[in-house]
């Protein structure tokens, strides 16, 4: 939405004040005059730009009124200051304030501006004398008086006519916000900085999505922009009755909450990358033809929030420290439960409840799928997920089962794979992700050292074996996961198209040559070269493969064969499903 000046506003107000400009002895404005002005001013709403509105409220109107509220002793202005301060903070954060709070603030502002109890904005006869900010004083002089310059100072106090203009402008602002909230059509999406639109348009469907280039030009809003574009591409605003404005508010808040701990890896860029990878799986496999709009909503929402408010430490660290999270969730999938709790607590707030347009049955379904999927990002469930999916694939009518009784498990596997998929990306991107993860591990190791605790695997910045561990992670974890997921897509592609009208019949065909295969092979070669050259790589692997007995949950000796690949594609080195002599200590062990 472009920024359109408030043209015509004063002419409307002038006509209204000529028709009815009744002022009581106390200096307040007659309600009929105010209503008339508001009705006339409402006709000008279409000419007010959102940028102009933000400028008036955030830069000019609110600070000026706040300055008065902080200096005056009148009870009205005392109550007004904290309310407007809260509104100002929300506007600066790009959020739309709660409508009731906004109305209350504007009502107090109206009462303040229309009252003579404080002697026209100040105890002196000069209405602008106490305004210390030169720009604000200049704006007040040119906007709310007939003077073109602040100096020389006006010789007379604020007139009833000027007071009426101030009140009417406040009403216009309030009505404009009310219209935005009531009519989502007025908000079509965030305004992208230069370079963002072209990246989203050209690369959003690509496996080689330039997530770090987008991070660099998005001005700290990479998850907000990717998330909004994904929901728009999948038509979820209409299909799921989601307000675009409310969803933008939700994404802005989620973006901020991802950054609350300053994590190098588990941050909003990671959330955006996993969501875009999920989108690629949907678009370029046979899965899309069998998804309902609620399925798509659940898949993308889970990807966007799966690591929100991550503290930057592992589940094991939380449990050892007996943190509030560990106590709350009884040491079970501590961080995964926290991400879910944080998200659904946020969704209870009116301005962020993007699921409010669903029926109770639809909400229950979406909530259940999101919970299942995010809990499955706990790496301790990795081998169980692969084993159970292989059993399903070997059964008769496996396709019907994958999208029937095991539907949630299938979706969980896909999200889990998206979460650990960066070894399937190009080397430069894989290396960057590995480096960020390494730095996050080292920060945890530094905390453990300062607390006198044993250092967790891969968290010792002085003694970390990089190439071997990363080769093992790709060969034993990521490659088998991709193979199983590809087999799932192949089985689904053989199913007949559903007849359900709620299903979006996408392209049933899918890629037979998956883009991640060549990338993983190349990345393993690059790590092998570093190993042979005894290089101290500048990045950290995601996992170490280690040996322990089935009864021992501790960490044993590192496998000497960590760099070897499984004997057959898609097979885990665990061997038969009943064996459990190998465990994986993830970079995120319990940190995902």
């Amino acid at each position: 939405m472009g920024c359109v000046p408030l043209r015509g506003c004063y002419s409307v107000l002038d006509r209204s004040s000529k028709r009815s400009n009744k002022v009581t002895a106390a200096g307040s404005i007659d309600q009929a005059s105010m209503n008339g002005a508001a009705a006339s001013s409402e006709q000008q709403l279409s000419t007010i730009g959102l940028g102009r509105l933000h400028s008036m409220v955030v830069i000019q109107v609110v600070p000026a009124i706040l300055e008065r509220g902080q200096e005056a002793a009148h009870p009205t202005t005392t109550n007004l200051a904290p309310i407007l301060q809260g509104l100002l903070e929300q506007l600066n954060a790009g959020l739309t304030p709660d409508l009731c709070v906004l109305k209350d603030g504007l009502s107090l502002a109206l009462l303040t501006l229309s009252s003579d109890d404080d002697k026209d904005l100040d105890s002196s006869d000069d209405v602008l004398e106490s305004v210390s900010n030169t720009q604000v004083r200049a704006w007040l002089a040119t906007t709310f008086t007939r003077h073109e310059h602040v100096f020389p100072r006006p010789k007379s106090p604020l007139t009833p006519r000027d007071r009426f203009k101030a009140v009417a402008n406040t009403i216009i602002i309030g009505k404009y916000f009310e219209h935005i909230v009531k009519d989502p059509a007025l908000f079509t999406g965030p305004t992208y900085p230069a370079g963002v639109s072209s990246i989203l348009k050209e690369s959003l469907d690509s496996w080689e999505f330039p997530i770090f280039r987008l991070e660099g030009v998005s001005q700290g809003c990479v998850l907000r922009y990717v998330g909004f574009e994904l929901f728009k591409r999948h038509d979820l605003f209409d299909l799921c009755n989601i307000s675009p404005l409310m969803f933008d508010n939700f994404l802005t808040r989620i973006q901020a909450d991802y950054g609350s701990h300053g994590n190098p890896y588990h941050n909003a860029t990671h959330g955006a990358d996993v969501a875009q990878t999920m989108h690629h799986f949907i678009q370029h496999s046979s899965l899309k033809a069998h998804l309902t709009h609620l399925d798509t909503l659940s898949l993308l929402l889970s990807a966007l929030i799966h690591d929100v408010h991550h503290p930057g430490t592992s589940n094991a660290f939380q449990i050892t420290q007996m943190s509030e999270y560990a106590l709350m969730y009884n040491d079970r999938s501590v961080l995964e439960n926290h991400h879910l709790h944080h998200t659904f607590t946020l969704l209870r707030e009116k301005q962020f409840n993007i699921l409010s347009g669903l029926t109770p049955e639809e909400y229950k379904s979406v909530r259940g799928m999101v919970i299942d999927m995010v809990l499955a990002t706990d790496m301790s469930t990795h081998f169980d997920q692969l084993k159970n999916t292989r059993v399903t694939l070997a059964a008769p009518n496996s396709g019907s089962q994958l999208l029937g009784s095991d539907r949630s498990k299938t979706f969980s596997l896909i999200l889990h794979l998206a979460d650990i998929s960066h070894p399937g990306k190009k080397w430069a991107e894989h290396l960057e992700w590995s480096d960020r993860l390494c730095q996050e591990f080292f920060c945890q190791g530094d905390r453990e050292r300062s607390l006198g605790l044993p250092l967790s695997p891969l968290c010792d910045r002085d003694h970390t074996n990089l190439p071997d561990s990363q080769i093992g992670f790709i060969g034993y974890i990521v490659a088998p996961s991709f193979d199983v997921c590809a087999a799932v897509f192949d089985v689904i592609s053989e199913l007949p198209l559903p007849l359900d009208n709620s299903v979006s019949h996408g392209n049933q065909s899918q890629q037979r040559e998956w883009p991640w295969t060549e990338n993983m092979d190349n990345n393993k070669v690059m790590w092998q070269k570093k190993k042979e050259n005894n290089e101290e790589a500048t990045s950290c692997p995601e996992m170490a493969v280690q040996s322990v007995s089935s009864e021992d949950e501790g960490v044993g000796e590192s496998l000497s064969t960590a760099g070897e690949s499984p004997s057959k594609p898609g097979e885990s080195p665990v061997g038969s499903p009943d064996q459990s002599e190998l465990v994986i200590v993830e970079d995120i062990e319990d940190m995902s």
Side-chain angles (χ1 to χ4, degrees), residues 545-561:
V545 181
Q546 304 190 349
S547 171
V548 299
S549 67
S550 58
E551 294 81 19
D552 184 7
E553 292 183 357
V555 177
E557 295 295 327
S558 298
L559 287 177
S560 60
T561 58

Side-chain angles (χ1 to χ4, degrees), residues 25-36:
S28 60
I29 298 178
D30 180 74
Q31 186 66 38
S33 301
M34 241 173 1
N35 292 341

Side-chain angles (χ1 to χ4, degrees), residues 191-483:
T191 301
Y192 297 143
V196 171
S197 295
S198 60
I199 292 176
L200 294 176
K201 181 179 179 180
E202 298 168 6
S203 306
L204 191 63
D205 294 345
S206 172
W207 181 253
E208 309 300 343
F209 183 68
I211 187 66
F212 296 117
R213 184 155 63 92
L214 180 63
E215 179 189 54
V217 299
S218 66
Q219 300 178 6
C221 295
V222 59
L223 182 137
R224 178 189 177 199
Y225 298 150
V226 168
F228 196 94
E229 193 67 22
L230 289 178
F231 270 53
K232 184 167 68 174
R233 293 279 184 96
H234 290 274
D235 202 22
L236 294 179
F237 296 126
D238 290 335
L239 293 174
C240 299
N241 194 24
I242 298 173
S243 161
L245 179 62
M246 185 181 295
F247 185 62
D248 187 55
N249 288 344
F250 173 78
L251 288 176
T252 301
R253 176 62 181 272
I254 291 294
Q255 174 91 36
D257 291 346
Y258 260 107
S260 58
H261 293 90
N263 302 327
Y265 181 86
H266 290 102
N267 53 32
T269 303
H270 171 64
D273 184 61
V274 172
Q276 188 276 332
T277 301
M278 175 66 77
H279 166 71
H280 184 276
F281 286 151
I282 294 173
Q283 290 293 102
H284 296 278
S285 73
S286 56
L287 187 63
K288 184 177 182 179
H290 299 271
L291 295 180
T292 69
H293 60 277
L294 295 180
D295 293 333
T296 305
L297 170 63
S298 302
L299 288 164
L300 294 178
L301 180 60
S302 298
L304 287 167
I305 61 90
H306 79 282
D307 272 332
V308 67
H309 206 254
H310 197 294
T313 54
S314 67
N315 278 341
F317 182 87
Q318 297 288 324
I319 294 169
T320 300
Q321 291 297 101
M322 292 186 291
S323 70
E324 289 297 322
Y325 299 154
L327 294 176
M328 181 181 297
Y329 304 116
N330 300 313
D331 299 347
R332 305 294 177 85
S333 299
V334 175
L335 295 180
E336 292 74 27
N337 273 299
H338 171 61
H339 306 320
L340 289 164
H341 176 266
H342 187 89
T343 299
F344 282 100
T345 298
L346 187 64
L347 288 172
R348 292 172 61 183
E349 299 184 31
K350 183 178 180 181
Q351 66 268 36
F352 301 123
N353 189 5
I354 61 173
L355 304 182
S356 59
L358 303 179
T359 67
E361 293 76 15
E362 290 173 335
Y363 175 83
K364 182 178 180 180
S365 174
V366 170
R367 173 172 159 80
M369 285 192 286
V370 170
I371 290 174
D372 288 345
M373 281 187 276
V374 174
L375 288 179
T377 61
D378 183 346
M379 278 301 300
S380 66
T381 68
H382 171 78
F383 282 128
D384 284 341
Q385 289 191 69
L386 292 190
K387 180 181 70 174
N388 293 335
T389 304
R390 288 191 182 104
V391 170
T392 301
L393 288 170
N397 301 319
S398 57
S400 299
Q401 188 173 341
L402 287 170
L403 293 181
S405 58
D406 286 351
R407 194 180 194 88
S408 181
K409 294 179 182 178
T410 301
F411 294 167
S412 296
L413 176 66
I414 296 172
L415 177 61
H416 170 54
L417 179 57
D419 191 26
I420 62 173
S421 64
H422 71 76
K425 305 297 177 67
K426 292 292 187 181
W427 168 250
E429 183 173 295
H430 168 51
L431 189 64
E432 175 66 20
W433 281 124
S434 298
D435 182 67
R436 293 185 178 202
L437 187 57
C438 188
Q439 298 308 315
E440 192 166 307
F441 282 175
F442 289 166
C443 288
Q444 175 176 317
D446 294 342
R447 291 180 63 184
E448 291 171 332
R449 183 179 286 109
S450 67
L451 293 170
L453 299 174
L455 269 62
S456 299
L458 305 181
C459 292
D460 188 346
R461 64 175 66 248
D462 299 322
H463 303 91
T464 299
N465 188 322
L466 305 181
D468 270 354
S469 301
Q470 191 67 353
I471 293 170
F473 172 51
I474 295 174
Y476 284 90
I477 302 302
V478 181
S481 299
F482 271 118
D483 289 344

